[in-house]
């Protein structure tokens, strides 16, 4: 599916809708350059679960853990991940399917994403407050 959002709030609202349909073991891989709205999208999902402390970027910790009602949300930032050893050090393989994963800079770990990963591609439009968001692997699309 593909949608265009016209503000950060619209991106958050769209992500919140996605949040309403999560079961607790999904892997959501976000793609797109700095400033496209990956963290805004993460904040939107988290807000559905009443989580308000989503950080701008977990760059120094690589992963932040938030408690939703029935499961955990693991928010990864793969910006500095260069190889399998780096990835293992984040706990990626240990936490997999034990909660919802939301991954920024998925480009860096493309080869390690399992089948069934929901992929979210975000791009800036010419109008600087618009974003095109394309979802793959969501609703069997
Ligand atoms: N339609 C939109 N959706 C999301 N963010 C938008 C949109 N239009 C403008 N922005 C701005 O883009 C920036 C996105 O920041 P952020 O979510 O931190 O990006 P990223 O995590 O991809 O680096 C914010 O400053 C936000 O206000
Ligand atoms: Mg970010």
């Amino acid at each position: 599916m593909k949608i265009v959002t016209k503000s950060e709030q619209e991106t958050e609202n769209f992500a919140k809708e996605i949040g309403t349909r999560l079961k607790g073991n999904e892997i959501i891989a976000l793609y797109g350059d700095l400033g496209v709205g990956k963290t805004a999208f993460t904040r939107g999902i988290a807000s559905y679960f009443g989580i308000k402390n989503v950080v701008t970027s977990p760059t120094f910790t690589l992963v932040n853990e938030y408690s939703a009602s029935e499961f955990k949300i693991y928010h990864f930032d793969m910006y500095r991940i260069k190889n399998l050893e780096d990835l293992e050090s984040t706990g990626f393989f240990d936490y997999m399917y034990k909660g919802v994963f939301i991954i920024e800079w998925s480009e860096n770990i493309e080869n390690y994403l399992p089948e069934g990963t929901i992929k979210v591609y975000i791009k800036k439009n010419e109008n600087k407050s618009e974003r095109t968001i394309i979802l793959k692997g969501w609703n069997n699309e």
Side-chain angles (χ1 to χ4, degrees):
M1 81 177 284
K2 172 175 164 179
I3 73 144
V4 173
T5 64
K6 295 188 186 318
S7 65
E8 179 172 22
Q9 193 56 51
E10 274 191 33
T11 294
E12 286 193 31
N13 291 346
F14 174 67
K16 192 171 181 177
E17 277 300 313
I18 302 286
T20 65
R21 290 151 74 184
L22 295 176
K23 296 190 175 70
N25 57 1
E26 289 85 356
I27 297 171
I28 302 172
L30 307 179
Y31 296 81
D33 291 337
L34 184 70
V36 293
K38 300 180 295 299
T39 301
F41 192 94
T42 304
R43 205 181 300 118
I45 291 181
S47 74
Y48 172 69
F49 297 102
I51 297 159
K52 298 189 176 80
N53 59 332
V54 171
V55 291
T56 318
S57 166
T59 297
F60 293 103
T61 48
L62 303 170
V63 58
N64 276 290
E65 188 181 310
Y66 314 117
S67 288
S69 42
E70 289 158 33
F71 50 82
K72 295 211 158 141
I73 294 177
Y74 298 95
H75 176 203
F76 290 91
D77 188 321
M78 300 302 186
Y79 187 71
R80 287 158 195 271
I81 301 301
K82 299 283 179 260
N83 54 45
L84 182 58
E85 200 185 349
D86 289 352
L87 182 57
E88 281 172 338
S89 78
T90 68
F92 185 80
F93 298 105
D94 306 318
Y95 305 142
M96 194 174 276
Y97 303 122
K98 293 177 182 159
V100 169
F101 276 20
I102 308 176
I103 307 162
E104 298 199 38
W105 297 104
S106 300
E107 290 88 342
N108 288 351
I109 62 153
E110 186 65 38
N111 295 338
Y112 305 108
L113 290 168
E115 255 184 65
T117 296
I118 298 156
K119 299 189 173 184
V120 180
Y121 300 91
I122 312 177
K123 284 205 176 94
K124 287 187 185 178
N125 289 2
E126 265 172 46
N127 178 329
K128 69 175 170 43
S129 63
E130 278 188 14
R131 302 289 187 269
T132 299
I133 305 176
I134 295 175
L135 263 68
K136 299 213 167 123
W138 178 249
N139 284 339
N140 303 315
E141 271 181 55

